[in-house]
Each structure stands twice: as structure tokens, then as C-alpha cells.
Amino acid sequence: MATAVRDLIDVSRDSLRAQFRRDVLTGLSQKRKAIPARWFYDHRGSELFEEITRLPEYYPTRTETGILMAHATRIGRMVGPRHHVVVEFGAGSATKTPLLLDAIWTAAYVPIDISGEFLRESCAGLAARYPELPIHPVEADFSQPATLPGEVEQHPRLGFFPGSTIGNMEPMAAVDLLRSMRRTLGAGSLLLIGFDRIKAESELVSAYDDAQGVTAAFNLNLAARINGELGGTLPLDALAHRAVWNDDRARIEMHIAATRAIEFEVCGRRFTMAQGETIHTENSHKYDPRSADTLLLAGGWEPLQGFGDADDRFMVILARAIGDEQTA
Ligand SMILES: C[S@@+](CC[C@H](N)C(=O)[O-])C[C@H]1O[C@@H](n2cnc3c(N)ncnc32)[C@H](O)[C@@H]1O
């Protein structure tokens, strides 16, 4: 029997809304204004991210896709002949997912994403391609431990976390997330995860500040979202996109800068920004193989095999959940 996509599990939609409000108000009240990158992804933000992935400057998507294509057979062999439940964290358009699904035996697919409507559309595309595959989309913040649908419980799990989304987290939060994934996926599970590598500053900055201004539109869409969803009055004509390389932290930072002194309201609360002051909207940490392995180990995952490209731009690592006896 052909299986449709199960109803979107969106038990947390109200709490996501409340969390967005709380993060924005807290972030704008800080001395150094900052809003977590997860709030980029309303439907428009997800569409703009898709445009970014097709830009000539944005090497991560095509490089990671090339790595997955080149090593799919090996990955399939390492995962083995058992049917796995694939749990994808931050699935977005799920364009890389078929590369994995075609390489392994899959019992069910559980994509988790904060951008619910966009996730539903991605799943419809996957369901047309894999009519027999049970698909259980979950609209949620993946930094909170997730309960997987009961009917997938008897199968081993393979976590899939491409897109170097792990780089959006500060190292401590990244370790917390990896540990939470290990709890969600359970003993004996595997994780296939993408890390962007440290490289020349000019290449990194242009990947986050492209000539067509798509990344700028993606960044500034957060301000438009605040205006639309939280009764904000941010003057969009006084805001500009900034992307800078922070060498000490090995990360690209994106900011929204005020081009003049401004005053605005969000949820009835008043805020000001001086000319040049910024709202820090994203970190994208870059790794080398050893720092990525160390992060995985700290998060409870033993790296089994790294896969890379000829120019050392990106790496995909297959890791296994470390048994409790080894982490004690
Ligand atoms: C950098 S994009 C990567 C998309 C896709 N996995 C890829 O490889 O191209 C990050 C994705 O993770 C989702 N996301 C970001 N933070 C999230 C969070 N805290 N919880 C759930 N989804 C999140 C976004 O909606 C987006 O789809």
C-alpha cells in the first residue's frame, strides 16, 4: 500500500511562537543584541535559504552533495543491511535526503524542522518519489529532545544532520545538541553529519555576502518577520546586512546593522539602536577534522569515518553513539 505523509506533528507550534517572542525580546534587551539563527526560518526564510544554496559563492551545498554522491555506496555498506529509521535534523528542502535513502535500507523517515509549512512541502515531494516509505514530519525545535513516533521504535536509528547546521551553534550548545540527539536516537544509533571546513577568509565571507544580495535578503527577512509576527516597527530602510569572519572563534558572523540611529517597538516594548550598532543573527562555525572529531566525542558520538572533497572545503562524518559504559 502506498503510504502518504503522516500528519505533521506540530504539538509545539504554540510554544515555538512563544519561544520566538521570548528570544526576540530577550535578545534585543541585551547590551549586545543577538537573536538565535533558528528564527530565520519562517516560510520565506526557508525559500531564501534554498536560493542561497544555488548561488555560485555558496560552495557548502554543492560540495556536501558531491561528497554524499561520491561515497554513498561506502556509507551504505557501513550502515549495513538492517532497515534504519532515518531521523533528519533541520531537513529543510530535503534535497540531499534521496542520496542517503537510495544508499541504505530505510524503515521510515522522520524529518524534524522548525519551518513547518516548508517541511510539509518537502515531504510531499519525497512521498511522490518514495510512495512506500512511511514519512513522519515533525515541526519542532531540534535542540529539545524529541519523542519519535511509536511505530518506528523497533528499528535502529540513523541521524542525518547535513548542511553544516551544527556550525550555527556555539561549541557548548553544539555538544548539548549532539547529546540530546544521542538520547533521541538511542543506543546503537548512527549519525551522518556535515561540517564546513576552515578556509580562506575571502571565500568564506563571499559565501555569506553574495553579489546578488540573496544572503542579505535572508538576513533582513528576520526583521520583516519580527514586524509581521510580533507587531514590530523596525525601519527596514535603516537596516543593512553584515558578514564578518571572526578568526578567534573560527566562525562567520552575520549581523543586522543600523545605518542610522533608530527607535522601534516590538510587542509594545521600545528599543533603540545607535548608528552602526548591530543585532547578531547567525554564527557559522568552521571546523577542521580534529576539532570536528573532538566535538563529536564530547557530544557522545564516536567518529567512524570522515568523507571529504578534493579541495578540503567540507566534510561529512559517520559516527556511532558511544555506549553508556564508555561515557561514564
Ligand atoms: C542551514 S539549513 C540546512 C537545510 C538542509 N538540511 C541542507 O542541508 O541544505 C538549516 C535547516 O535547519 C532548520 N533549523 C534551524 N534551526 C533549527 C532548530 N533549532 N530546530 C529545528 N530546525 C531548525 C531550518 O529551518 C533549515 O531547514
Side-chain angles (χ1 to χ4, degrees), residues 38 41 49 64 88 90-92 96 113-115 140-142 162-163 165:
R38 58 180 170 269
Y41 298 96
F49 180 75
E64 187 179 34
E88 181 166 359
K96 295 163 195 157
D113 205 291
I114 205 162
S115 189
D141 179 346
F142 57 49
T165 308

Side-chain angles (χ1 to χ4, degrees), residues 145-157:
T147 307
L148 298 179
E151 59 189 283
V152 306
E153 253 166 26
Q154 71 273 30
H155 298 282
R157 322 278 159 65

Side-chain angles (χ1 to χ4, degrees), residues 23-34 269 271:
D23 281 354
V24 169
L25 291 177
T26 306
L28 292 177
S29 306
Q30 291 168 183
K31 194 158 176 273
R32 292 187 179 179
K33 294 179 170 51
R269 280 179 47 189
F271 299 94

Side-chain angles (χ1 to χ4, degrees), residues 16 37-42 46 49-50 53 58 61 64 88-96 112-115 118 140-143 161-165 168-169 282:
L16 283 179
R38 58 180 170 269
W39 302 118
F40 279 140
Y41 298 96
D42 62 356
S46 297
F49 180 75
E50 277 317 295
T53 64
Y58 197 77
T61 302
E64 187 179 34
E88 181 166 359
F89 298 90
S93 64
T95 40
K96 295 163 195 157
I112 304 174
D113 205 291
I114 205 162
S115 189
F118 195 77
D141 179 346
F142 57 49
S143 54
F161 196 25
S164 62
T165 308
N168 293 151
M169 275 122 245
E282 186 183 72

